[in-house]
Amino acid sequence: MACPHTPLAARLAPPKLSQAVHREECTQCFDNQDMAQGIDVCLHCFNGGCVDEQDGQGAEGGRHHARIHFEKTGHQLALNIRRVRKPRSPTEDSEPPLKRLAISEEREEDQYDFVRVVRCWGCGGKLLPDAMKDPYVSAIVNGIAGSMSSARQSEVKAWEEEITACEHTLTLQQNPPSAIEASGLAHCGKCELTENLWLCLTCGSLGCGRQQFGGVGGHGHGMDHYSETKHPVSVKLGTITPEGNADIFCYECGDSRLDPDLALHLANFGINVATQTKTQKTLTELQIEQNLHFDFSLTDENGRALQPLFGKGLTGLANLGNSCYLASTVQALFALEPFQNRYLPTAELHSMLCPVKDPAQCLDCQLHKLADGLLSGRYSKPASHPTPLPPSSELNTGPDDSMPTPTFQAGLKPTMFKALVGASHPEFSTMRQQDASEFLTYLLQLMRRDAQRKSLNPSMEPPHIFEFSTEQRLQCTNCGGVRYRLDENELISVNVPVRETGEKTEEGKIIYEPVTLEECLDTLTGEEEVDYRCPRCKTNVKAVTKTTFASFPDVLVINPKKFQLVNWVPQKLEVPLVVPIDNTLVMDKYLGKGQQDGEDILPEDEAEGGSSLPEFNAAAMIQLEGMGFPTVRCQKALLATGNSDADAAMQWLFEHMEDPDIDDPIDVASGVPSDGAEASPEQIEMLSDMGFTAPQARKALRETAGDMERAVEWLFSHPDDDGEEAPADSGAASTGKKLPGSDSLPAKYILKAFISHKGPSVHSGHYVAHIKEPEAGWVLFNDEKVVKADKESVENLGKLAYLYVFEKAL
């Protein structure tokens, strides 16, 4: 009997180029088209769903998201797609174009066979082998088969990085013509290096670049030349092609650029581009290769391969190119019990009840999907087609050549999650390497915003486990008056003192003295003398500030800052930080006391101009000044970024280094928002129309210097703040508002995880996570490779970690 629903195809249309076609993977779990049951692609909306055993295809674990999709939407027709790998033949990758970094679409048909058959859910999931004879059905099926999958669309869009010209390449002024030696015999003008050479397009000076991944040496003499001469544009020898492409870097912009007149500029130095051959990799190619092949040690102290692990909570995440910052952060989050309890038990129930039509666009759906993928153990198994290790991997150079190379997992691809989370962020939407701490903060902000939109209780959602408050106390040394301020936080950044030992490694790296975490916390909570205009004394005086904890979180995240500025570029330093790996971190002595009896509270700030500078975030000021920024620049950066976050202020500083008035005194009378400044009625009305109260709107605008866009961001990231201000003399304990976290003692913490980083900057290199699992002990999550970590690597990498995650001991 013919299916009565097949004629529905006449009212349907093939997918448009802009439409997402989820034909590779289920949108609500990680079952994919390579599994025996394949994936059902809805012919109505192109959602991808897995099928269960009752439907005759057998998804592992009884998943049935394709049937759930039908029950929720009424979409009857679907195309089941199953992909089978063909025997592989070796091929050589062609060189990517240098003007644009892009992934060219590979022909899947050359690598796989596809089995496609139409299914009708209106007929109970019945397969319809003859349905594709219908011309309307056939047109849709062909459209799905020929479309770029949603995963591929996200991948190509994120990798595609247009390199453009800048004012410095377009207006380049060159010195009189001169011939240089552009062959492999040329060397740096300040050392003997003959590779990684950069030619100054202004004067023809040859300088070596900075050291790069893959053994590419460099001493940074090209940058030194720029610092001395301010000649902005250089080209890397060995990357010049006859087409006029090359790796061009503008030191003034701090980024790769395009020179439309490169051939003409090179001719000034006797270089004919038509005769050039590309012999070296570009910066972007090196960065991609570095991240895909960057291996933390996968052997123990005796050279033996570390044991691959499989099972529940031991599932790896495949590297999408530069996504290790995301993978490490997500692994650390889902190792925490509140995240596991929130998302794993309800994964199937959520797929049935979620009102969002497109699961790929629902953050809750994608978090449930991640929990199921990472924690269920369903995907934690040796890869059928393991990715070979790079030739430089320690596992390929062990002392025993007969030792079998371990087989790792294929790893789950978090493509859908990354595309959703990064959609509204200019950096996280790209394939460039990112800062793991910034991503953690951003993800928690998205989760809070999502919870608020759904009217969920914020105290019941996972982000609340990170929340706590710091107490900032300021005392005038002239009149003795004091002032208190409470700031809500979700991680704490500590400056790490830098003390050189006077020794260097065999590779020439400086060796630094170890520093204890306790010393860093003591410095953070210690007293500091600052310049201050006292509202009572009516004059500039010295004040003593002190930052302590007003409450402690359930999960304490510590971000040690180990940077120094080199030409205003932060360079990471390998300062060993001694942390209690398997011992207890006691925080009791860092708890603030609040206002004490007999303390004289300072009045509100008053100035002749009717306004004054706000009280700057003391912890942020300490961090910024500790990096070498002048006080006035730190204050301006905090004013411009909401006076709450040192990282945001530092980013602002880097973007405004060349402002002509960057070092001018702050003009108090110019309208800088203060505690007494009023937002305009129009701004308050606009925020009120979005559902916020007037007190919330006023506080958000005050905290963000009147910037509407940042005020909205502030409101979403502070859902518990009702905007009501406590009296100036209230102290920490009597604000009338419950502080996030707890002030109960003892406050003891156990290290649960740490995220480590290799590379000169947090925006390059590679991240991995070490997590202490209940049964397996310390486990190393290095993308898709999940192995049992040896004691030595835990201790060594633990000293150089970038983020520490401590759980409060019960």
Side-chain angles (χ1 to χ4, degrees):
M1 179 177 177
C3 172
H5 305 102
T6 304
L8 290 173
R11 291 183 287 173
L12 305 178
K16 300 176 182 178
L17 289 175
S18 59
Q19 280 185 284
V21 180
H22 301 288
R23 62 177 173 82
E24 290 186 346
E25 181 180 275
C26 176
T27 56
Q28 295 186 294
C29 72
F30 285 94
D31 285 3
N32 59 54
Q33 63 180 344
D34 294 323
M35 293 180 171
Q37 71 275 11
I39 288 293
D40 271 17
V41 179
C42 177
L43 298 191
H44 303 248
C45 66
F46 313 114
N47 177 71
C50 58
V51 292
D52 66 8
E53 296 177 1
Q54 296 178 5
D55 300 314
Q57 295 296 318
E60 296 181 26
R63 300 302 195 272
H64 44 82
H65 294 128
R67 176 157 53 85
I68 289 175
H69 177 72
F70 159 68
E71 292 170 351
K72 291 172 65 175
T73 64
H75 295 172
Q76 296 102 328
L77 299 176
L79 176 66
N80 183 266
I81 302 178
R82 185 162 56 90
R83 190 173 73 168
V84 182
R85 182 183 290 272
K86 293 180 179 180
R88 302 184 68 176
S89 59
T91 58
E92 294 184 0
D93 296 330
S94 59
E95 293 286 351
L98 293 178
K99 176 185 174 183
R100 176 189 294 259
L101 171 65
I103 292 181
S104 58
E105 182 71 6
E106 297 176 348
R107 285 178 51 84
E108 287 184 297
E109 290 76 7
D110 295 337
Q111 303 179 44
Y112 299 93
D113 289 319
F114 287 86
V115 180
R116 302 183 180 97
V117 60
V118 175
R119 185 197 305 278
C120 179
W121 285 103
C123 295
K126 179 181 178 182
L127 296 176
L128 308 174
D130 296 329
M132 280 187 275
K133 295 178 181 179
D134 183 295
Y136 296 106
V137 173
S138 178
I140 300 172
V141 169
N142 290 336
I144 292 174
S147 69
M148 187 183 295
S149 71
S150 59
R152 195 63 168 170
Q153 280 182 334
S154 299
E155 188 178 10
V156 170
K157 182 180 178 181
W159 270 118
E160 195 173 60
E161 182 183 0
E162 183 75 34
I163 299 176
T164 60
C166 67
E167 60 175 313
H168 308 105
T169 59
L170 294 174
T171 61
L172 183 69
Q173 298 294 317
Q174 294 187 287
N175 290 353
S178 62
I180 66 159
E181 187 177 9
S183 69
L185 298 178
H187 63 79
C188 171
K190 294 186 177 181
C191 69
E192 297 301 315
L193 282 180
T194 58
E195 63 174 356
N196 191 20
L197 297 181
W198 292 78
L199 171 69
C200 173
L201 289 179
T202 300
C203 66
S205 170
L206 275 179
C208 59
R210 286 163 282 191
Q211 195 172 41
Q212 302 290 337
F213 170 79
V216 179
H219 302 115
H221 290 142
M223 174 170 275
D224 291 344
H225 175 72
Y226 162 71
S227 300
E228 296 165 359
T229 64
K230 297 303 178 183
H231 295 170
V233 184
S234 292
V235 59
K236 184 178 181 181
L237 297 184
T239 66
I240 304 169
T241 69
E243 294 77 25
N245 294 317
D247 200 356
I248 298 166
F249 193 84
C250 176
Y251 289 105
E252 193 73 29
C253 299
D255 208 348
S256 296
R257 291 301 183 204
L258 177 70
D259 181 1
D261 296 318
L262 178 63
L264 179 63
H265 291 152
L266 289 174
N268 188 60
F269 305 111
I271 299 176
N272 182 358
V273 296
T275 64
Q276 298 299 301
T277 302
K278 182 177 180 293
T279 60
Q280 296 187 30
K281 295 176 180 176
T282 66
L283 287 175
T284 308
E285 291 168 334
L286 286 169
Q287 182 179 350
I288 297 170
E289 181 180 346
Q290 173 190 30
N291 199 270
L292 291 175
H293 292 164
F294 209 145
D295 269 322
F296 276 70
S297 177
L298 293 173
T299 59
D300 62 16
E301 62 271 21
N302 297 317
R304 294 188 298 262
L306 297 178
Q307 172 191 352
L309 297 177
F310 305 95
K312 294 182 178 181
L314 299 171
T315 305
L317 288 170
N319 196 329
L320 304 177
N322 266 330
S323 62
C324 53
Y325 69 92
L326 178 149
S328 299
T329 303
V330 166
Q331 292 285 12
L333 288 178
F334 280 95
L336 301 172
E337 191 172 314
F339 274 77
Q340 296 175 353
N341 293 340
R342 169 65 173 83
Y343 295 109
L344 181 59
T346 58
E348 280 304 286
L349 181 63
H350 178 80
S351 66
M352 292 185 281
L353 301 180
C354 180
V356 180
K357 291 184 179 180
D358 185 358
Q361 298 302 313
C362 173
L363 181 61
D364 228 8
C365 285
Q366 294 309 307
L367 288 168
H368 279 90
K369 175 178 176 176
L370 274 175
D372 175 62
L374 294 175
L375 304 174
S376 68
R378 296 172 58 235
Y379 308 98
S380 183
K381 56 187 68 175
S384 302
H385 300 277
T387 302
L389 292 167
S392 60
S393 172
E394 296 180 23
L395 296 184
N396 290 333
T397 57
D400 183 2
D401 292 336
S402 64
M403 180 177 63
T405 300
T407 300
F408 300 105
Q409 306 170 32
L412 306 177
K413 291 186 176 182
T415 311
M416 215 171 288
F417 174 75
K418 184 181 184 300
L420 175 61
V421 171
S424 58
H425 195 282
E427 284 300 320
F428 297 136
S429 60
T430 72
M431 281 294 188
R432 291 189 289 269
Q433 185 62 282
Q434 304 297 334
D435 186 319
S437 69
E438 291 179 6
F439 178 73
L440 172 62
T441 301
Y442 179 70
L443 177 58
L444 295 177
Q445 182 185 87
L446 288 184
M447 294 174 68
R448 289 193 192 93
R449 189 183 304 173
D450 191 61
Q452 187 174 39
R453 277 198 295 259
K454 297 173 180 175
S455 300
L456 300 176
N457 184 352
S459 64
M460 301 298 291
E461 293 300 299
H464 87 277
I465 64 177
F466 300 98
E467 295 170 357
F468 63 97
S469 289
T470 53
E471 173 188 294
Q472 296 182 22
R473 181 182 185 272
L474 179 145
Q475 183 171 27
C476 174
T477 58
N478 189 46
C479 68
V482 298
R483 170 168 293 168
Y484 286 90
R485 166 183 168 143
L486 295 177
D487 290 306
E488 295 184 8
N489 298 273
E490 56 198 10
L491 63 80
I492 194 75
S493 295
V494 296
N495 286 327
V496 180
V498 177
R499 296 187 288 263
E500 297 183 11
T501 63
E503 301 177 359
K504 293 186 178 182
T505 65
E506 293 181 357
E507 295 80 17
K509 293 183 178 180
I510 298 173
I511 300 177
Y512 300 94
E513 290 183 9
V515 178
T516 64
L517 179 57
E518 183 178 14
E519 179 184 349
C520 298
L521 290 170
D522 288 344
T523 301
L524 176 71
T525 57
E527 293 185 345
E528 183 188 20
E529 193 172 77
V530 297
D531 293 325
Y532 178 64
R533 180 172 180 81
C534 179
R536 175 175 293 146
C537 301
K538 307 292 187 183
T539 186
N540 294 327
V541 297
K542 294 292 185 181
V544 176
T545 64
K546 181 180 177 66
T547 300
T548 52
F549 286 78
S551 62
F552 295 107
D554 294 333
V555 176
L556 176 63
V557 179
I558 298 178
N559 176 210
K561 296 292 187 180
K562 306 176 183 178
F563 299 97
Q564 68 178 7
L565 292 179
V566 178
N567 293 321
W568 296 109
V569 176
Q571 297 293 320
K572 197 183 76 168
L573 306 177
E574 293 189 354
V575 181
L577 185 63
V578 181
V579 298
I581 296 292
D582 292 307
N583 297 315
T584 303
L585 173 66
V586 181
M587 299 286 291
D588 293 20
K589 67 178 181 178
Y590 305 116
L591 181 66
K593 299 177 180 179
Q595 183 184 347
Q596 301 297 296
D597 292 339
E599 286 187 330
D600 186 13
I601 298 297
L602 290 170
E604 291 293 320
D605 289 339
E606 294 180 1
E608 295 178 1
S611 63
S612 68
L613 293 179
E615 183 178 334
F616 293 100
N617 185 320
M621 285 293 294
I622 292 172
Q623 292 179 47
L624 294 170
E625 290 179 323
M627 297 182 68
F629 292 109
T631 299
V632 68
R633 295 191 183 189
C634 300
Q635 292 174 337
K636 286 185 176 181
L638 286 170
L639 283 175
T641 57
N643 196 22
S644 61
D645 183 77
D647 289 332
M650 182 175 67
Q651 184 64 37
W652 185 92
L653 282 167
F654 290 142
E655 294 173 355
H656 294 78
M657 295 298 297
E658 302 303 322
D659 288 3
D661 60 348
I662 187 67
D663 293 312
D664 291 351
I666 299 174
D667 184 3
V668 175
S670 65
V672 176
S674 69
D675 290 345
E678 286 296 326
S680 70
E682 292 80 9
Q683 289 178 311
I684 294 176
E685 183 179 358
M686 290 176 65
L687 293 175
S688 297
D689 290 341
M690 298 175 65
F692 300 105
T693 66
Q696 286 177 313
R698 276 192 289 268
K699 184 169 184 179
L701 290 164
R702 185 165 56 250
E703 292 289 334
T704 57
D707 187 304
M708 278 292 292
E709 184 176 345
R710 288 194 295 111
V712 173
E713 290 291 329
W714 187 94
L715 285 164
F716 278 122
S717 61
H718 295 78
D720 294 333
D721 197 322
D722 58 13
E724 299 293 343
E725 296 293 339
D729 60 351
S730 63
S734 57
T735 60
K737 176 188 172 185
K738 188 180 185 304
L739 295 178
S742 170
D743 59 0
S744 62
L745 298 177
K748 298 181 178 180
Y749 290 87
I750 302 295
L751 186 63
K752 174 63 177 179
F754 59 89
I755 296 175
S756 303
H757 173 267
K758 276 191 176 181
S761 164
V762 293
H763 295 288
S764 63
H766 188 63
Y767 289 96
V768 299
H770 280 79
I771 298 173
K772 193 171 187 180
E773 297 289 349
E775 297 181 4
W778 282 104
V779 177
L780 168 61
F781 290 82
N782 182 4
D783 293 330
E784 74 279 2
K785 296 178 279 292
V786 181
V787 298
K788 186 173 180 61
D790 66 307
K791 182 178 179 180
E792 184 179 24
S793 71
V794 171
E795 291 178 351
N796 291 338
L797 287 175
K799 295 177 182 178
L800 300 174
Y802 183 63
L803 283 178
Y804 296 94
V805 182
F806 290 90
E807 286 185 314
K808 201 169 189 180
L810 300 178

